[in-house]
Each structure stands twice: as C-alpha cells, then as structure tokens.
Amino acid sequence: MSTINKPFRKKDAMQLVTGQPVYMDDVIPQDCLIVKLLRSPHANAIVKTINTAVAKKVPGIEAIFTWEDVPQDAPRYTQAGQTYPEASPRDRLLIDRHVRFVGDVVAIVAGKDEKCVDKALKLIKVEYEVLEAVLDYHTAKDNPILVHPEDNWASLCPVGADNKRNLCAHDECGAGDIDAVLAASDVVIDHVYHTKACQQAMMETFRAFTYMDVYGRLNVVDSTQVTFHVRRILAHALDVPKSKIRVIKPRIGGGFGAKQTVVAEVYPAIVTMKTGKPAKIIYSRYESQIASSPRHEMEVKVKIGCDDNGILQAMDVYTLSNTGAFGEHGPTTVGLSGHKSIPMYGTPKAFRFAYDVVYTNRMSAGAYRGYGATQGIFAVESAMDELAAQMGMNPIELRKKNMVRQGQVMPAYYGETANSCALDRCVDKVMEMIGWDEKYPRKDMGNGKVRAVGLAMAMQGSAISGVDVGSVTIKVNDDGFYSMTIGAADMGTGCDTTLAQVAAECLDCELDDIVVYGVDTDISPYDSGSYASSTAYLTGMAVVKTCESLKKKILKKAAEYLNCSEDELEFAGKTVRRLNAPEGEPAEITLKDIGNRAMCFNEEALQATESHSSPVSPPPFMAGAAEVEIDKETGHIELLQFAAAVDCGTPLNENLARVQTEGGLAQGIGMAMYEDVTYSDHGRVHENSFMQYKVPSRLDIGKVQVEFECSYEPTGPFGAKSIGEIVINTPSPAIANAVYNAVGVRIRELPITDEKIFIGIMGGR
C-alpha cells in the first residue's frame, strides 16, 4: 500500500505549530456582543424574583434574558449530541426557573464588551426559594426529593427512565443462571469500585459564535464534535426550523467527548435571534470546571466466580451511575461499563449486567473518552487481579486462561464475533516491553522503597452499530485533483489526514491531490459526528465506497472521450488506460484531461457521495502495564513507566495512532493518580481551577512506550478499527494492580493517592 499505514504529517500541522489563526476565536469578527451567564449559587432552588432593571442601565448592555423570557411549559430538549431519537431524556429549558445544581443558568447577559457584561452580572438581584438537594447518588433513587418533578419531562426511547423516581435509566440483561453458577463456583470474589467525575480539561474551552446571514438564517461557528446534532438541538431548543440554521466547524482545540454535548451554543444563539446582532460566548476555565459535562461518576459492583483451575464460571456486574442534574449521555454511557468489560473474557457460563442511572443536584455529566467503558474496565480488571491473588495465581496466567480470542462469539457484546482480535499478542508484547517476568510481582530496592508491575486489558468499539452514519463527497476538479467534503469533525485527531490517506490509496494518487473540506451543515453530507470511536472505521468505509463510485464515473467519462466501452478501460490513478487499444487509437487519457474536459459540455457531475453504517462494532483491544515505585514509609507513589500494546486492526497512520495512544494514556494516568472532583455539603465543586484540579504534566507520567499488534478487521477500511477511546482504559486498573503487588494495598476508589496508600499500609501493620 502506498499511503495506508504511512507516517504522513497532519495536513494542518504547520498552521497549528506556527500559531496561524485556525480556532473559533481566531477566525470570527471581534466586534460582536459578548455573552456571559449568571449562575445559581444553590444546588436546588426556585427563582422567586429576579430584578434586572439596574443591570440593563449599564452602558453597553444590549440584552438580559431570564426565565421570564422562556415559556416554562415549552417542550424540553437535551444537550446530548446523539442520533435522533436521542436516548438521553429531554429535561432542559433554555433558562429554567427551577435551578438544579450550583452553576445552573439563571440569566443570559449580552453587551459590547466584557467589562460592561461583568458589571451587569453583579447588579442582577435574585431572590431564591432554596430547596433541599439530593447530593448523594446512593440515596437518589426513589428519593422523595425529585430533581425533575416537572410534567413536561420526556424520554423518547425505552431506557427505563422515570423522572418521578429520579431514574435517568435502568436495565438488566444476561445469559445463564447467574446465581446458580456463582453458588457452584469454587472461588468467588465480590467487591465495589468507585470512579469519580473527571474533567476532560481540553485546552480550548466551550465556545460558539452566532450571526444572522443575508437570508435571515442563524449561522453558528462552533467548536464542536457533533456539527449536525448541534443544528438539530438548536432548532428544537429555539423552536425554529432546521432549515433556518447553519453550523460551521473550525479547528477544535480538543474535545475528548466534552464537545459531544451542546454546552454553550444555545446562549449566543438566542441573543443573536432576539437582537439580530452577532454574539459569542467563551467559557472561562472556572465555568468549564463547575458547569460542563465531565465523566459520569460510577460505582461498579463486580462478582466473579471461577473453578479450581481458574476458569471463569460467572461474572455479575452492577453499575450505579450519577448523571447529575440532567441526563445527557446518562442512559448510553452506563451500558459500556458492562458491555465493554465482561466480553473481554470468553469462558463464563453465565453473566448478568444491571444498572441504575440516577439524577442528583450536581453538575450534569456527559461524554468523555472511554464513555463508561473506562469505569467498568477499572472495576473488572481490578477484580480479576483480586481473584488471582485469592487463588495464589499469576494474574497473567488467569487472563490467558480466560481472555477472548479471535473467532469467539461474545454474548455480553450483543452476540458479536471477535473477527479481528490480537488481545493475546498484546498481552505478550506488553509483558516483554515492561520486563514482566523479571519484575513481577515486586522488587525491594533496599532503601525503603519497593517497585512493582501491574497489568490490565481493555476493549472498546468502533462506532455505534446500526445507528451511526459516516458520509463523504468527493469530486474531480479541473487538472484532475480531488476535493473531499466530510461530515466528521477533526478535533485534533488528524482525521482530515487519515481519511485523505484512505482516499489517496483508493484513487491511486498523492496525498496532496486530496483537498479536504471540513464540516459545514449547508455543504457537507450528513455524518453523525466524531464520537464513539467512529471516524476512521465508519467514515473511512464511506471514503472507500465513495471512491469506488467515483472511479466508475471516471471510467464512464473516459470511455466517452476515448470512444470505447468501459469494459476496455482500467483506472490507473493519474490516467485511465485502454487495454489492447487498436493501433492508431489513443491508449490512455490523463485524469487531468478528464477533469478539464468535464468542466464544459458535461451532463453529469463528476463527483460521488456515499454513506456507510455498520451492523457491527468491531472492538479494538489493548493491554497496558505499569511499573511503580512506592515509599513504604510515606506511601508516596511514582509511576516509572507505562507500556501499551494496541490492536486497532490496520493503523491508517501509525504516527497519528501513536500520538492518540500516548495522549489517551496520559489522560488515563491523570484519572488514575491525580484528578479528583469533590463537593461541599451544599453541592459546590471544590476543584474549580487548575490550581485545585490536578492534571498531570509530562513529568508525572513516567516513560511511556507504545507498540501495535495488528489484526485485520474485514468490515473496516483496509482492515482498520478504532483507536481514539480504548487507549484511556488501562492505566487505572494497571496502576491499582501494581500498587497491590508492591505493598499489598488494594485501592478501589480513584484517584490512587499517597494518602490512600499510606492509610492502607498503616492499616496492614
């Protein structure tokens, strides 16, 4: 292959590293209204009165909107960027009189500059009726205090939601007689694991710019992963036809799932619609920390039974998920905590997976890389090591006896077959990379410190089967170069480049012959968006299909120009050749000539559009291993190195795949060891800046090594599967397992800190 699995530089690399204007705030007019939000200081309250008279008199203030400007009995909407009908409940108003968490929106203020808007915000007088809040998600289900008592709450999908029970979702599934099989198992472990509501902490915060065009349509320039979903959500929230809204995506300064939720867009949109003036909103880091869409806090109960030989007999997983004040992604993230952890093991005779997703008066959660699988894998992979320890077995041996292998059916993964699975090779590779046999389980350094290793496995998915859609349009231009318009959002992953590589491979041309145009809902073909690890796998296959359709059109046009049948022709990239051409007749025509001639006197556009949806979601697999050093006197932990081996099928661009892996590992290490979200007794987030919320630097993640163990996925472009999400899933359990191997302390609640290790050590003395 000429372009696939080649280390091409990202198409926009030089513009990014040289600081060219590419992000939203770089490319929009600066003389627009500044929009900011007044936020609730209470976790649960009713706005009794709100006085904006003095604030409106501040020079430069253009508009102030409150709940009185929004019908409280209007249909509600969801901010979750999901395919319609959204599984997430419709539980929001643009501005609600009932505020449900500290940070909920009370008023929208728009003015000519930040100074006047900040002054106006301080002059708005609000009287609240403070209500008792539900802050503990363990007591939320069937609590007499309802987070959403309103009658116009709606759930469009049968996900087990019931707002009168504080339930955002509920379900139970399984196979076999789980209770009987557990009872008959020789060894059973039963533990509970807790993961916190981590923040994505992307460099570019939430932001959007809105203006009315000459046709009276709302235009939105938006830092988003889900361009087409934004259009639908805004149309619903603002009660305007979708035809009146256009959404354009510039470069995105990171998303990691946060921008799969329409957090900020609706506020400048309503300002522009009511004033007719351009407006922008840019969240501060403080707002991004206290009123955004972090990972769902989950408590995962795992019960595993095996026989005396270590063959798993049964696995029982129950997840309690805290969706916060609103239900964005609540019903969908929780499913991955079981469906992307249990199937890693192919031997159990029975499994059960049940969950409850509950409303509380805390900041609402949303999508974050790993999307629930991260939480479930931390629990299951920690539990597997606990089972191995109870049996006195090497945890690698236990995994090798039970891990899913290529060709196996995965009952807990919707009955799909692992048609491409190199998980066994990933484990072997990681053992080699980390030096497992020499270092397991621990090594006493003789200076009060001990070193140890721990390992974990992971799986994810590639798009949402039967739901997500990827689409591409490619046209031939004069001189024979191609324009490719995609609906997927490049958020720094490099999909503009990797999709162009797929097109260049299919069309047998140079990468620079493919010009990629980003997402514009007026121009781009419909694409679900960049989430659920869908872009390379799903949109990549749309590229393949589009290229095949386009080549047929090129051959048809070449046959017309060469005055022969299409059966006589062969597409050869820069040319179309005529096989066995009669003497004296042209044997080929260049693509340049075809492109130029097709610009005139042509009755058929030389372009193609194709869409792709997949009935399956082939999982990528990986293994990760951590080496830690712990001071036995203080509990201080240092991560020395982390090794990862990933099976993403055929890497489309190994350099970009490696960067994706390294970045995901860094985030996973942050979740495992540093990042924490805690609340006051009144529901206020303590970690409201990077001074309190600790994101690891390069110095904190040790030596990171990444290798690839390739498989071939028959349903993916050139054998490719996804890689974006799986890479965050192994650090938490691998580090927790290494800590146990080092000092015998089992940490079941993240993050893994010096204090928790020290307390565990002292408790064991």
Side-chain angles (χ1 to χ4, degrees):
M1 292 185 287
S2 58
T3 58
I4 296 299
N5 201 12
K6 296 297 189 295
F8 287 101
R9 189 170 64 187
K10 287 172 61 176
K11 280 182 168 287
D12 57 357
M14 292 308 297
Q15 286 76 15
L16 296 174
V17 300
T18 57
Q20 299 300 307
V22 294
Y23 300 106
M24 189 215 80
D25 204 35
D26 299 328
V27 299
I28 65 171
Q30 296 304 304
D31 57 343
C32 59
L33 295 178
I34 303 298
V35 178
K36 291 194 176 187
L37 307 173
L38 180 68
R39 299 185 179 277
S40 169
H42 305 292
N44 194 18
I46 303 293
V47 177
K48 295 177 67 176
T49 63
I50 183 165
N51 188 333
T52 62
V54 176
K56 286 179 178 177
K57 294 178 181 179
V58 173
I61 291 299
E62 184 73 27
I64 299 178
F65 303 116
T66 72
W67 70 269
E68 295 170 317
D69 300 295
V70 178
Q72 298 297 287
D73 59 352
R76 292 178 177 262
Y77 72 99
T78 176
Q79 292 181 348
Q82 298 173 306
T83 299
Y84 176 87
E86 309 96 337
S88 299
R90 293 187 168 183
D91 51 15
R92 284 186 182 265
L93 293 177
L94 201 153
I95 309 176
D96 202 329
R97 187 179 188 182
H98 185 172
V99 290
R100 292 173 168 83
F101 72 98
V102 176
D104 207 352
V105 177
V106 176
I108 305 169
V109 180
K112 68 177 184 179
D113 55 38
E114 285 196 61
K115 185 177 180 181
C116 72
V117 172
D118 288 340
K119 184 175 182 180
L121 285 168
K122 296 175 183 177
L123 295 174
I124 298 174
K125 303 300 180 184
V126 186
E127 181 184 1
Y128 297 93
E129 177 189 349
V130 180
L131 307 173
E132 187 177 351
V134 182
L135 297 175
D136 184 352
Y137 70 123
H138 297 96
T139 63
K141 182 180 175 181
D142 295 322
N143 195 302
I145 302 167
L146 295 180
V147 178
H148 284 278
E150 65 274 7
D151 292 330
N152 59 347
W153 176 97
S155 178
L156 304 187
C157 296
V159 294
D162 186 347
N163 63 315
K164 303 301 183 181
R165 300 182 63 198
N166 283 338
L167 265 181
C168 180
H170 165 80
D171 195 20
E172 180 176 325
C173 65
D177 189 336
I178 184 74
D179 295 319
V181 176
L182 280 170
S185 297
D186 296 316
V187 181
V188 177
I189 58 107
D190 187 356
H191 296 293
V192 176
Y193 306 87
H194 182 203
T195 61
K196 299 289 192 70
C198 303
Q199 287 285 1
Q200 295 88 344
M202 60 280 174
M203 289 187 291
E204 183 192 36
T205 60
F206 302 95
R207 57 195 61 201
F209 167 70
T210 56
Y211 65 96
M212 304 301 291
D213 65 20
V214 295
Y215 302 105
R217 302 171 71 226
L218 178 70
N219 283 235
V220 184
V221 181
D222 189 15
S223 180
T224 181
Q225 300 172 220
V226 286
T227 317
F228 284 92
H229 293 332
V230 171
R231 182 177 66 181
R232 184 189 71 249
I233 292 167
L234 289 180
H236 186 71
L238 301 171
D239 193 25
V240 298
K242 295 185 185 73
S243 61
K244 293 292 186 181
I245 300 176
R246 176 191 186 191
V247 184
I248 306 160
K249 181 206 75 73
R251 306 308 301 168
I252 303 177
F256 310 118
K259 293 172 184 175
Q260 194 192 337
T261 302
V262 182
V263 171
E265 292 86 337
V266 69
Y267 305 115
I270 190 66
V271 169
T272 292
M273 289 191 64
K274 286 185 173 291
T275 66
K277 296 183 177 181
K280 73 173 179 180
I281 189 168
I282 295 180
Y283 270 38
S284 65
R285 183 60 60 183
Y286 171 81
E287 289 179 293
S288 295
Q289 288 294 116
I290 62 102
S292 55
S293 56
R295 186 183 297 282
H296 285 76
E297 178 184 24
M298 291 187 188
E299 187 175 84
V300 184
K301 185 177 188 296
V302 181
K303 193 172 185 179
I304 303 176
C306 71
D307 64 18
D308 282 335
N309 295 317
I311 304 299
L312 300 190
Q313 303 296 298
M315 190 176 295
D316 191 3
V317 174
Y318 169 74
T319 301
L320 177 63
S321 177
N322 182 3
T323 196
F326 300 98
E328 281 90 17
H329 303 278
T332 42
T333 52
V334 69
L336 278 67
S337 67
H339 291 303
K340 301 290 174 70
S341 58
I342 300 171
M344 289 190 296
Y345 297 97
T347 55
K349 299 174 182 176
F351 81 91
R352 177 169 56 200
F353 173 44
Y355 57 76
D356 289 306
V357 183
V358 294
Y359 282 113
T360 63
N361 291 115
R362 292 190 175 185
M363 170 176 38
S364 58
Y368 187 177
R369 191 179 206 164
Y371 203 78
T374 315
Q375 296 95 307
I377 287 170
F378 167 65
V380 168
E381 285 300 273
S382 294
M384 284 297 292
D385 260 49
E386 296 208 55
L387 179 63
Q390 188 162 324
M391 297 188 67
M393 182 181 290
N394 187 312
I396 302 292
E397 181 185 354
L398 182 64
R399 285 177 172 82
K400 287 187 173 183
K401 284 175 177 281
N402 294 283
M403 70 173 68
V404 67
R405 295 177 186 270
Q406 186 158 309
Q408 281 189 290
V409 175
M410 299 174 284
Y413 193 57
Y414 315 106
E416 286 193 23
T417 300
N419 289 319
S420 57
C421 177
L423 182 56
D424 52 346
R425 288 189 279 122
C426 287
V427 170
D428 289 339
K429 173 62 74 173
V430 158
M431 290 177 64
E432 176 188 331
M433 294 165 68
I434 204 78
W436 182 273
D437 292 337
E438 298 79 34
K439 298 175 181 177
Y440 175 80
R442 73 189 64 83
K443 181 178 180 180
D444 195 316
M445 304 306 293
N447 57 356
K449 296 180 180 180
V450 61
R451 293 184 179 182
V453 289
L455 182 141
M457 306 188 312
M459 64 176 281
Q460 194 74 37
S462 301
I464 304 173
S465 57
V467 175
D468 287 345
V469 175
S471 301
V472 170
T473 296
I474 303 178
K475 69 174 181 177
V476 180
N477 299 292
D478 44 335
D479 278 2
F481 72 95
Y482 300 94
S483 295
M484 182 167 72
T485 307
I486 63 175
D490 191 330
M491 52 179 167
T493 56
C495 76
D496 286 359
T497 304
T498 53
L499 294 176
Q501 287 180 248
V502 174
E505 188 71 39
C506 292
L507 296 170
D508 194 15
C509 65
E510 300 296 324
L511 186 63
D512 287 342
D513 291 333
I514 309 291
V515 177
V516 183
Y517 191 85
V519 194
D520 180 333
T521 55
D522 275 6
I523 300 169
S524 305
Y526 175 79
D527 193 290
S528 305
S530 295
Y531 61 91
S533 299
S534 62
T535 307
Y537 174 73
L538 201 68
T539 310
M541 279 305 298
V543 173
V544 173
K545 291 168 69 173
T546 303
C547 290
E548 291 305 309
S549 295
L550 185 59
K551 284 193 288 187
K552 290 178 181 178
K553 290 189 174 185
I554 293 171
L555 289 174
K556 181 180 179 181
K557 189 58 60 178
E560 178 184 326
Y561 294 150
L562 292 174
N563 194 27
C564 66
S565 70
E566 296 171 47
D567 294 339
E568 298 178 62
L569 299 179
E570 176 186 65
F571 181 84
K574 293 292 185 181
T575 64
V576 174
R577 298 170 186 159
R578 185 178 181 184
L579 305 176
N580 303 314
E583 188 174 346
E585 294 187 19
E588 66 177 23
I589 183 172
T590 66
L591 187 65
K592 178 178 179 179
D593 287 342
I594 294 173
N596 288 330
R597 292 176 67 175
M599 304 305 291
C600 305
F601 306 109
N602 183 27
E603 295 182 356
E604 183 180 6
L606 205 52
Q607 68 178 38
T609 300
E610 296 289 347
S611 295
H612 183 68
S613 185
S614 176
V616 295
S617 177
F621 297 93
M622 77 172 291
E627 181 181 11
V628 302
E629 181 176 87
I630 297 176
D631 188 319
K632 293 185 289 185
E633 293 300 316
T634 65
H636 176 66
I637 179 174
E638 181 180 352
L639 178 63
L640 300 179
Q641 63 172 318
F642 198 95
V646 187
D647 163 25
C648 60
T650 302
L652 297 178
N653 183 318
E654 189 167 308
N655 276 8
L656 296 184
R658 189 177 303 279
V659 171
Q660 280 283 290
T661 306
E662 291 170 349
L665 291 175
Q667 286 185 304
I669 291 166
M671 177 181 176
M673 302 179 68
Y674 301 101
E675 300 174 44
D676 201 0
V677 173
T678 61
Y679 284 81
S680 72
D681 293 340
H682 300 289
R684 188 179 297 273
V685 177
H686 287 133
E687 294 77 18
N688 57 25
S689 78
F690 283 161
M691 293 298 291
Q692 293 85 23
Y693 189 75
K694 304 299 184 182
V695 178
S697 73
R698 181 62 187 87
L699 299 177
D700 300 312
I701 63 174
K703 178 184 178 182
V704 175
Q705 299 171 273
V706 174
E707 297 292 345
F708 296 96
E709 285 293 330
C710 297
S711 62
Y712 186 88
E713 173 50 47
T715 65
F718 299 99
K721 297 185 287 189
S722 72
I723 194 169
E725 291 185 275
I726 186 173
V727 291
I728 199 173
N729 292 334
T730 56
S732 292
I735 293 169
N737 293 338
V739 169
Y740 177 81
N741 291 336
V743 292
V745 174
R746 174 56 62 179
I747 306 294
R748 300 191 182 101
E749 179 186 75
L750 298 180
I752 300 164
T753 62
D754 297 357
E755 292 81 2
K756 291 176 183 176
I757 296 172
F758 177 76
I759 291 170
I761 292 172
M762 295 304 293
R765 290 183 177 177

